[in-house]
Amino acid sequence: MRIGELARRTGVTPRALRYYEEQGLLAPERRPSGYREYGDRDVDTVHGIRTLLAAGLTSAVIAEILPGLPLPGRRRPGPTCPELLAVLARERARITRQLDELEASRALLDAVMGADAPSEVIRTPGR
């Protein structure tokens, strides 16, 4: 199938599919004309990429772990290799740190919004 058909089947724009190829996430065959040719397996791969992106992983991390993920319907639940689990644990820790930073930011905003005199909460460095 060509890129437009893959885009229709996955709900992803052709531009995003070309980006995934640039990042090493997809490797379509090339016709003699230069057109990309995708297979049914690429549909599953794109859905997997979208799931991992939604989980907060970067395209670089996805490129690192994608080869270690078993195909849908041919796997036990969860990742199967220790290296993959280590990468996912590292990414989970990174996301947890980001959540902690966001919660601290929200608490600071709550303090500013709830203060009778916000200037007492907002301090200029060095004063």
Side-chain angles (χ1 to χ4, degrees), residues 9-62:
R9 289 179 62 182
T10 60
V12 175
T13 66
R15 182 177 180 189
L17 295 172
R18 286 189 289 275
Y19 174 76
Y20 298 162
E21 182 181 357
E22 290 171 11
Q23 299 301 307
L25 305 177
L26 283 176
E29 299 291 324
R30 290 286 184 155
R31 292 182 176 179
S33 62
Y35 285 111
R36 293 167 177 86
E37 183 69 28
Y38 297 94
D40 289 331
R41 183 174 178 189
D42 292 313
V43 174
D44 291 333
T45 299
V46 171
H47 287 303
I49 292 166
R50 300 299 292 173
T51 298
L52 294 169
L53 286 169
L57 301 183
T58 66
S59 59
V61 170
I62 294 170

Side-chain angles (χ1 to χ4, degrees), residues 44-125:
D44 291 333
T45 299
V46 171
H47 287 303
I49 292 166
R50 300 299 292 173
T51 298
L52 294 169
L53 286 169
L57 301 183
T58 66
S59 59
V61 170
I62 294 170
E64 183 181 346
I65 68 171
L66 199 56
L69 293 176
L71 294 172
R74 297 185 189 161
R75 60 179 169 185
R76 299 185 321 250
T80 55
C81 69
E83 295 85 8
L84 180 57
L85 287 173
V87 172
L88 293 174
R90 183 186 74 216
E91 287 303 304
R92 187 180 190 288
R94 180 187 59 80
I95 290 169
T96 299
R97 285 190 303 275
Q98 288 178 326
L99 287 170
D100 292 343
E101 291 169 5
L102 286 171
E103 287 176 357
S105 295
R106 182 177 58 195
L108 181 57
L109 283 174
D110 288 346
V112 170
M113 291 169 55
D116 289 332
S119 60
E120 293 175 8
V121 178
I122 301 172
R123 293 184 181 85
T124 305

